[in-house]
Amino acid sequence: MGSKPDFKQTQKEKLCQNLTALKKQPEMSFLGGFSPDQIFLVGGAVRDWLLDRKSKDFDFVVLSLSPQEIEKILSQYGDIKPVESRNFGVFKFKPSGTKKIIDVALPREDRWTGLGYKNLQPSLGVDLEKDLSRRDFTINAMALSLDGKLVDPFEGKKDICQKVIRAVGKPEERFLEDPSRILRGIRLACELGFNIEEKTFAAMKKLSQQITTKTETGMPRVAEEVIATEFLKGFFADPERMIELLDASGVLPLILPEVEALKKVPQPEEFHSEGDVYTHTLLALKKLKLLEQKLADGKISFPVELNPISIHTKLAVLFHDLGKPKTFKGPEETGDRIRFTGHDTESAKITEKLVKHLKLSIFPTSHRLHIDKEKLVFLVKHHMVCVAGDIEKMRLSTLEKYFFNPDGRGNELLALTWADISATVPPSGKPDFSLFNQMLKKLAEVKEVIEANQKERELPHLLSGEEIMEILGIKPSRLVGKIKQQLRDLQLSGKLKNKKEAKEYLKKHSKQITKE
């Protein structure tokens, strides 16, 4: 048997391979204007390469050159965007022929102006290690020269090997400088599957209030957009752990008091032996992760086409019971047991406010973390659709609208419902999927009719509103919409197959239809 490859050697090879590939990219041609000992790749890209992850953002630090010299070199390869004075020392460089912006900076050091406030000052006298010392975590405080030399003064590579998030230097100083680092550390722990070092996490807990503290000018120390970005990234990576870390660090009640309020809200034990609403929600997030794995392994299938679990599904699971504290009624009020009548509607209202308040729609529509407020509210509002009411009496057109919508909300609603049911644990320990399975059977019937009538996903209506009014001799009104939906139900059930049959049906039943 051959010997195992040396881990350190493998990491070095990965760095060199990625560095070679980077220098070949057209937008990186500017690197040729510097000598290997003048410019260094810094930050997240170095970390990601050591973890064998792809990286899209590349930041550089230039040593021993003046701002004028740096600008002269860069201007030969593209444009330099004007920056505000507070960002002095950082060139926002746009290589020719691209829209990409690359940060090229002078080494900087901290100049303190008061507790929790600082300015970053560029300086030719600042060496690379001092520049790295002001960064947040050791795994982000590494630099790589163009000839493959790794600069790692704070043992970031060691922490990567041990899967640890550790603050550079004194943790409290790092978080006082920038409280958003608390959220970033939690997000990185979720994205990378790392643990947060004990002293670092203790400082996070101690200074968590800094996240919502305001400056002397009344501005929040951490912008809402930054909070939203860090939360969504970490939550998408590992929802259950993100909430647990936010809770343990004291951040949860600061940014999501609505979730904090779920704690100690009791539920009827005959349906929820798992515990209070907060416990149920965390368990539902855990079950959603299980479903994600089942889908990936092909161990479960639904009639509705399933995409990978989306950010909408994950947030809907977190928000689906936010209305329970407000709608809670105990046995003394209901006469039998704890009830949460209308909690789905109330949860939807809270969700709509949260999307706006937390700026959850911060990512562009093309991004996988973009939040469509209407869709998210829809999912929360209808999360009981598979477990409440008589499924056999549901209109087929309603099922089509809910579950076969082109925007994919059907699979998200099923995934949400599956997670919710899985986390609803009766004393027997076996969640009741009987109504859910009944819904799947019904959806299979709807899908069969749609596919039988048209290759495309959306089956066109047999008659338009104008045609209905002309046949029945009626004027525009809500009745036209009701008749159109009735025809749709008959169409989906296979009782009406074409335009001719629809017209004959209207003529035959005109008196009864217009009377209704």
Side-chain angles (χ1 to χ4, degrees):
M1 294 178 65
S3 59
K4 293 183 179 179
D6 181 79
F7 184 65
K8 292 183 180 179
Q9 181 63 30
T10 302
Q11 284 187 315
K12 185 176 181 180
E13 290 174 357
K14 288 177 183 176
L15 289 178
C16 291
Q17 289 172 0
N18 281 293
L19 194 58
T20 300
L22 180 71
K23 288 189 284 188
K24 289 181 178 179
Q25 294 180 18
E27 65 266 28
M28 294 295 169
S29 60
F30 73 94
L31 295 175
F34 300 90
S35 64
D37 60 346
Q38 286 179 329
I39 188 165
F40 290 77
L41 178 66
V42 294
V46 181
R47 175 201 70 218
D48 288 341
W49 285 359
L50 286 170
L51 284 166
D52 201 20
R53 301 172 83 225
K54 292 182 179 180
S55 190
K56 295 181 180 179
D57 298 318
F58 301 99
D59 299 330
F60 297 89
V61 167
V62 178
L63 305 179
S64 307
L65 294 179
S66 68
Q68 293 77 18
E69 290 172 316
I70 295 173
E71 186 169 356
K72 183 178 179 181
I73 293 173
L74 292 178
S75 62
Q76 299 174 41
Y77 299 91
D79 300 320
I80 299 172
K81 298 187 70 175
V83 294
E84 299 174 14
S85 59
R86 63 182 174 84
N87 289 327
F88 180 67
V90 179
F91 295 92
K92 297 291 182 180
F93 173 62
K94 186 170 79 68
S96 298
T98 73
K99 295 181 179 180
K100 189 178 182 67
I101 301 297
I102 299 171
D103 281 358
V104 180
L106 287 167
R108 290 166 291 169
E109 63 179 335
D110 298 332
R111 300 282 177 85
W112 289 86
T113 59
L115 183 61
Y117 302 91
K118 66 169 185 174
N119 289 320
L120 290 175
Q121 298 293 332
S123 173
L124 289 174
V126 176
D127 61 21
L128 184 58
E129 182 172 334
K130 193 158 190 177
D131 177 86
L132 295 175
S133 71
R134 66 177 178 77
R135 297 177 184 269
D136 50 12
F137 303 105
T138 60
I139 62 173
N140 293 334
M142 296 178 287
L144 186 67
S145 68
L146 292 187
D147 55 6
K149 178 184 176 182
L150 181 66
V151 181
D152 183 17
F154 305 103
E155 299 187 311
K157 187 170 74 168
K158 179 181 177 182
D159 283 339
I160 285 177
C161 294
Q162 296 180 351
K163 297 186 175 182
V164 171
I165 304 290
R166 185 193 311 273
V168 173
K170 296 178 180 180
E172 290 189 20
E173 288 185 4
R174 298 290 81 76
F175 300 138
L176 278 174
E177 289 168 3
D178 183 357
S180 71
R181 289 170 171 172
I182 297 173
L183 291 168
R184 191 178 309 133
I186 292 173
R187 184 256 295 177
L188 285 171
C190 293
E191 284 186 333
L192 304 177
F194 283 18
N195 293 316
I196 301 176
E197 184 266 333
E198 186 178 348
K199 291 182 180 178
T200 299
F201 195 70
M204 287 179 171
K205 291 174 66 175
K206 182 178 179 180
L207 298 172
S208 60
Q209 294 286 337
Q210 288 289 319
I211 291 173
T212 52
T213 298
K214 293 186 177 181
T215 65
E216 294 175 353
T217 60
M219 297 294 292
R221 291 212 61 202
V222 180
E224 293 172 330
E225 292 82 359
V226 173
I227 293 175
T229 299
E230 297 292 354
F231 168 71
L232 287 172
K233 286 182 177 180
F235 184 75
F236 182 75
D238 193 335
E240 182 190 11
R241 188 160 186 242
M242 185 68 179
I243 298 302
E244 288 177 336
L245 287 175
L246 289 176
D247 183 26
S249 63
V251 177
L252 185 65
L254 300 176
I255 65 172
L256 282 170
E258 297 84 357
V259 175
E260 175 77 13
L262 301 180
K263 294 179 178 179
K264 297 181 180 180
V265 178
Q267 302 192 97
E269 293 184 4
E270 57 264 48
F271 301 111
H272 292 278
S273 66
E274 74 275 3
D276 62 19
V277 182
Y278 181 78
T279 303
H280 164 75
T281 300
L282 280 182
L283 182 58
L285 290 173
K286 183 176 183 178
K287 295 297 183 180
L288 187 65
K289 188 174 184 179
L290 174 63
L291 175 62
E292 195 166 17
Q293 188 59 53
K294 283 179 175 289
L295 291 170
D297 295 341
K299 293 181 179 180
I300 192 171
S301 62
F302 297 151
V304 177
E305 183 178 347
L306 281 160
N307 300 320
I309 302 299
S310 71
I311 185 63
H312 290 94
T313 310
K314 294 177 179 181
L315 281 176
V317 171
L318 179 63
F319 295 161
H320 79 281
D321 279 348
L322 292 183
K324 281 190 172 181
K326 188 173 181 179
T327 58
F328 172 85
K329 287 188 178 181
E332 64 281 359
E333 295 178 88
T334 65
D336 53 0
R337 63 172 177 82
I338 293 172
R339 293 184 182 276
F340 302 98
T341 304
H343 82 274
D344 44 1
T345 301
E346 185 61 33
S347 296
K349 291 179 182 178
I350 296 173
T351 296
E352 187 167 15
K353 293 177 181 177
L354 274 177
V355 173
K356 182 178 181 180
H357 171 66
L358 291 178
K359 298 188 183 300
L360 294 182
S361 295
I362 188 170
F363 288 95
T365 54
S366 59
H367 198 283
R368 67 176 182 174
L369 297 183
H370 171 72
I371 302 301
D372 181 329
K373 183 177 70 173
E374 186 274 329
K375 183 199 280 193
L376 180 58
V377 171
F378 168 88
L379 293 173
V380 173
K381 185 176 182 179
H382 297 287
H383 76 271
M384 299 286 290
V385 69
C386 294
V387 295
D390 190 337
I391 292 175
E392 289 301 321
K393 291 183 179 180
M394 288 189 69
R395 288 182 176 274
L396 296 182
S397 55
T398 299
L399 293 177
E400 181 196 30
K401 182 174 67 175
Y402 282 12
F403 293 97
F404 295 92
N405 192 302
D407 70 2
R409 66 182 61 188
N411 63 63
E412 293 165 327
L413 186 54
L414 283 178
L416 161 61
T417 307
W418 191 95
D420 187 20
I421 294 172
S422 297
T424 303
V425 187
S428 67
K430 296 181 179 180
D432 184 2
F433 278 90
S434 57
L435 288 175
F436 183 79
N437 291 331
Q438 186 180 345
M439 175 63 81
L440 293 185
K441 183 179 179 181
K442 197 73 174 176
L443 292 178
E445 294 175 6
V446 177
K447 181 181 181 181
E448 187 177 337
V449 173
I450 292 176
E451 291 180 345
N453 281 274
Q454 189 184 352
K455 293 180 180 180
E456 299 296 328
R457 172 62 64 191
E458 186 175 353
L459 181 67
H461 287 265
L462 295 176
L463 296 176
S464 66
E466 289 77 10
E467 289 174 314
I468 292 171
M469 288 187 287
E470 182 180 349
I471 293 170
L472 297 176
I474 58 177
K475 296 180 179 180
S477 66
R478 291 183 179 180
L479 178 60
V480 177
K482 287 182 65 177
I483 295 172
K484 191 175 182 181
Q485 187 176 47
Q486 184 179 349
L487 290 176
R488 185 64 162 179
D489 289 331
L490 292 169
Q491 177 188 13
L492 292 173
S493 65
K495 295 177 181 178
L496 293 178
K497 298 178 181 179
N498 52 51
K499 187 182 287 287
K500 181 180 178 182
E501 290 183 2
K503 289 181 177 180
E504 291 176 352
Y505 176 84
L506 286 185
K507 292 175 182 177
K508 183 177 179 180
H509 301 280
S510 61
K511 290 184 179 180
Q512 182 183 351
I513 291 173
T514 53
K515 186 178 180 181
E516 293 178 355

